[in-house]
């Protein structure tokens, strides 16, 4: 025989409650048919854990009940560097009787008469332990395995509340464990918001994927998931959301009436704008204050975003409720580097087409770029050459316009002048170095 008694559990799971005395019962069973057994119980950390009966006698084929007690109530679960255990030692007691001193002496003498029958591991479990691990997991060794154990004793409601906390913490392993344990992936808070915005704010794409795969559903009227991702410049999030959430609307608006494109423009996130456009986003939506994405980008001075929107939007000169264009907002906020793109470049192109030399001088003085291209790649010099505006050509050349700039079709200003039959303009361009052998 290698042991005399057997515990009724392989592991003791003690449900921890903050600031309370915590206990868990267990039993030991005497395996002998005809003889009583003396039992001694010791804990790894007696200052922390104690057993209500350290020494006891169990009659033949009987069992005895014990209680493990967490002796020191605390606000945090007292994790130890090494796992806490109860060591069970037993010895045969032929007489079936012994006082406490006799039992103490019996176990004080080492020898073959004392059996080391069991080692019972002790685990702290329950929602208070799980919440603590969510908040402090980076400081606790083996926190993932401890967390999975801690979910014992948690109700379905508690698991769901813990799932919300895990999503906020950014720990994907905890999120998986809670969903597997029964946490509701479609939980909605008092505002009707799902778990998805919480996951996005952590920046952990694995949690977003886990929620999507687990069937998390969103409500476009509450969950501004694309807006959240746009503000963070996380196109990878947006790709997953659009691909796998069938009910998502890329043109949904937030409480200010702004779409994800507005958000991308406001922060200067060009890739966000480009992605939204690629999946049907409307760059001309007006928010509740009359602002288009163009207004947002211009007001913050985001050149690349303004350039991107220039190529796809038709509202460069739209006014908001205050009567402001994007150009006006850029001027008000001192974004002089945008003025050519927002207005003076257009003025210069228009003046070159109409031979408005005065208008050209004013726009150039205000900062218009002499080589600004239009949607076809034409510069002011292309237009002036094509329209036979020789005064405009001369002014542009005086301001160092590039004579051999190629448009989207491969045409130089010289090509334009020759094709339109304007000999004097062609000769003037050649005199300023235009290459006559350049092929379109």
């Amino acid at each position: 025989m290698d042991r005399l008694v057997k515990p009724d559990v392989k592991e003791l799971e003690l449900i921890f409650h903050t600031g309370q005395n915590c206990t868990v019962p267990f039993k030991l069973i005497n395996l002998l048919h005809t003889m009583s057994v003396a039992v001694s119980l010791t804990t790894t950390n007696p200052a922390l854990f104690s057993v209500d009966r350290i020494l006891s006698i169990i009659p033949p084929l009987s069992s005895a009940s014990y209680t493990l007690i967490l002796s020191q109530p605390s606000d945090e679960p007292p994790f130890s560097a090494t796992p806490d255990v109860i060591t069970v030692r037993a010895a045969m007691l032929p007489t079936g009787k012994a006082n406490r001193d006799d039992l103490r002496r019996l176990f004080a003498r080492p020898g073959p008469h004392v059996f080391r029958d069991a080692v019972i591991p002790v685990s702290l479990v329950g929602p208070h332990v799980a919440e603590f691990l969510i908040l402090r997991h980076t400081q606790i060794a083996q926190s993932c395995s401890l967390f999975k154990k801690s979910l014992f004793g948690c109700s379905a409601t508690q698991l769901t509340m813990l799932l919300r906390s895990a999503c906020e913490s950014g720990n994907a392993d905890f999120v998986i464990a809670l969903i597997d344990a029964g946490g509701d992936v479609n939980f909605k808070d008092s505002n009707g918001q799902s778990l998805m915005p919480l996951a996005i704010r952590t920046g952990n794409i694995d949690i977003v994927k886990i929620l999507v795969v687990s069937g998390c559903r969103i409500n476009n009227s509450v969950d501004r998931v694309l807006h959240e991702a746009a503000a963070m410049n996380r196109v990878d999030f947006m790709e997953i959301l659009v691909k796998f959430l069938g009910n998502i609307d890329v043109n949904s608006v937030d409480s200010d009436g702004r779409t994800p494109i507005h958000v991308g423009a406001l922060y200067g996130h060009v890739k966000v704008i480009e992605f939204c456009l690629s999946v049907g986003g409307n760059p001309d939506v007006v928010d509740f204050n009359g602002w288009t994405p163009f207004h947002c980008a211009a007001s913050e001075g985001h050149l690349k975003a303004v350039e991107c929107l220039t190529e796809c939007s038709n509202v460069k000169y739209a006014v908001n409720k205050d009567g402001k264009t994007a150009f006006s907002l850029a001027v008000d906020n001192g974004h002089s580097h945008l003025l050519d793109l927002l207005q003076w470049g257009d003025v210069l192109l228009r003046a070159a087409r109409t031979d408005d030399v005065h208008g050209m001088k004013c726009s150039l003085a205000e900062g218009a770029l002499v080589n600004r291209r239009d949607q076809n790649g034409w510069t002011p010099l292309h237009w002036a050459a094509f329209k036979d505006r020789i005064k405009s050509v001369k002014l542009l050349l005086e301001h160092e316009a590039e004579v051999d700039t190629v448009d989207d079709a491969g045409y130089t200003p010289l090509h334009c002048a020759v094709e339109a039959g304007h000999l004097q303009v062609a000769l003037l361009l050649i005199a300023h170095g235009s290459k006559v052998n350049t092929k379109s």
Side-chain angles (χ1 to χ4, degrees), residues 199-206 208 225-241 269 271-272 275:
I200 290 172
R201 288 170 205 152
T202 68
N204 189 334
I205 194 168
D206 289 336
V208 174
V225 289
L226 290 180
H227 293 75
E228 297 269 4
M232 298 169 62
N233 201 23
R234 293 300 297 266
V235 176
D236 53 344
F237 284 0
M238 300 178 81
E239 289 172 341
I240 291 171
L241 295 169
H269 298 328
K271 291 188 180 300
V272 166
F275 173 77

Side-chain angles (χ1 to χ4, degrees), residues 24-212:
V24 59
F26 65 100
K27 291 182 178 180
L28 294 177
I29 302 166
N30 183 351
L31 299 176
L32 300 183
H33 291 258
T34 59
M35 191 175 299
S36 296
V37 172
V39 174
S40 169
L41 303 178
T42 56
T43 58
T44 310
N45 189 351
L48 186 62
F49 292 106
S50 60
V51 181
D52 60 342
R53 290 196 293 161
I54 297 175
L55 298 169
S56 61
I57 299 173
I58 307 177
L61 290 180
S62 298
S63 64
S65 298
Y66 304 86
T67 302
L68 177 69
I69 304 165
L70 180 61
S71 306
Q72 300 177 357
S74 64
D75 293 333
E76 297 179 352
F79 289 111
S80 304
T82 56
D84 292 297
V85 299
I86 299 173
T87 300
V88 180
R89 295 187 301 156
M92 289 184 282
L93 195 65
T95 63
K97 296 181 179 179
N99 59 38
R100 191 173 187 82
D101 290 336
D102 293 335
L103 294 176
R104 191 178 292 112
R105 283 192 294 269
L106 176 65
F107 288 106
R109 297 195 317 269
H113 64 287
V114 176
F115 291 74
R116 191 170 183 268
D117 276 4
V119 175
I120 310 173
V122 178
S123 295
L124 297 174
V125 301
H128 291 210
V129 177
E131 186 70 37
F132 175 80
L133 288 170
I134 289 171
L135 296 174
R136 302 275 291 277
H137 64 90
T138 57
Q139 304 168 24
I140 307 295
Q142 299 178 330
S143 60
C144 191
S145 59
L146 290 173
F147 183 77
K148 290 178 180 178
K149 285 185 178 181
S150 73
L151 301 183
F152 174 82
C154 294
S155 67
T157 300
Q158 289 169 336
L159 289 170
T160 300
M161 291 300 101
L162 290 168
L163 178 58
R164 175 185 169 87
S165 297
C167 287
E168 288 180 306
S169 78
N171 190 306
D173 291 333
F174 288 3
V175 171
I176 292 172
L178 285 160
I179 293 174
D180 289 344
D184 183 5
V185 75
N186 281 305
F187 164 80
K188 301 291 189 294
D189 66 14
S190 58
N191 297 316
Q193 190 175 78
S194 75
L195 297 172
M196 193 64 77
L198 302 178
I200 290 172
R201 288 170 205 152
T202 68
N204 189 334
I205 194 168
D206 289 336
I207 295 181
V208 174
K209 290 178 179 178
I210 292 164
L211 292 181
V212 168

Side-chain angles (χ1 to χ4, degrees), residues 396-409:
L396 292 167
L397 292 173
E398 289 172 3
H399 283 78
E400 300 182 352
E402 295 176 1
V403 293
D404 285 327
T405 300
V406 178
D407 72 2
D408 295 347

Side-chain angles (χ1 to χ4, degrees), residues 161-386:
M161 291 300 101
L162 290 168
L163 178 58
R164 175 185 169 87
S165 297
C167 287
E168 288 180 306
S169 78
N171 190 306
D173 291 333
F174 288 3
V175 171
I176 292 172
L178 285 160
I179 293 174
D180 289 344
D184 183 5
V185 75
N186 281 305
F187 164 80
K188 301 291 189 294
D189 66 14
S190 58
N191 297 316
Q193 190 175 78
S194 75
L195 297 172
M196 193 64 77
L198 302 178
I200 290 172
R201 288 170 205 152
T202 68
N204 189 334
I205 194 168
D206 289 336
I207 295 181
V208 174
K209 290 178 179 178
I210 292 164
L211 292 181
V212 168
V213 171
S214 300
C216 179
R217 296 184 294 274
I218 67 163
N219 183 342
N220 278 304
S221 64
V222 178
D223 292 317
R224 310 299 180 192
V225 289
L226 290 180
H227 293 75
E228 297 269 4
M232 298 169 62
N233 201 23
R234 293 300 297 266
V235 176
D236 53 344
F237 284 0
M238 300 178 81
E239 289 172 341
I240 291 171
L241 295 169
V242 169
K243 182 176 181 180
F244 294 104
L245 298 182
N247 65 330
I248 201 161
D249 180 8
V250 73
N251 290 310
S252 62
V253 298
D254 61 14
S255 58
D256 296 315
R258 293 182 171 178
T259 67
I261 297 182
H262 280 91
V263 176
L266 195 63
Y267 287 98
H269 298 328
V270 176
K271 291 188 180 300
V272 166
I273 298 171
E274 292 174 339
F275 173 77
C276 290
L277 294 173
S278 73
V279 294
N282 183 357
D284 297 336
V285 173
V286 177
D287 73 8
F288 298 153
N289 291 313
W291 285 49
T292 65
F294 217 95
H295 285 96
C296 295
S299 69
E300 296 298 323
H302 298 309
L303 175 60
K304 294 298 183 182
V306 169
E307 289 177 336
C308 177
L309 290 166
T310 299
E311 297 176 1
C312 63
S313 178
N314 298 312
V315 292
K316 182 185 287 190
Y317 297 105
V319 295
N320 62 17
K321 286 188 175 180
D322 297 323
K324 299 278 188 178
T325 63
F327 175 83
S328 302
L329 293 171
V331 171
D332 292 346
N333 294 330
H335 302 311
S336 58
H337 61 291
L338 298 181
L339 303 187
D340 168 72
L341 180 59
L342 292 173
Q343 182 162 315
W344 293 124
D346 291 350
V347 171
L348 181 60
L349 286 164
R350 185 166 56 251
R353 291 196 299 269
T354 61
D355 210 24
D356 179 4
V357 175
H358 176 72
M360 293 175 67
K361 288 180 178 179
C362 289
S363 60
L364 288 167
E366 290 290 348
L369 300 180
V370 72
N371 294 307
R372 167 67 64 188
R373 295 168 178 266
D374 66 9
Q375 66 273 18
N376 298 311
W378 277 32
T379 65
L381 189 59
H382 279 89
W383 277 110
F386 181 70

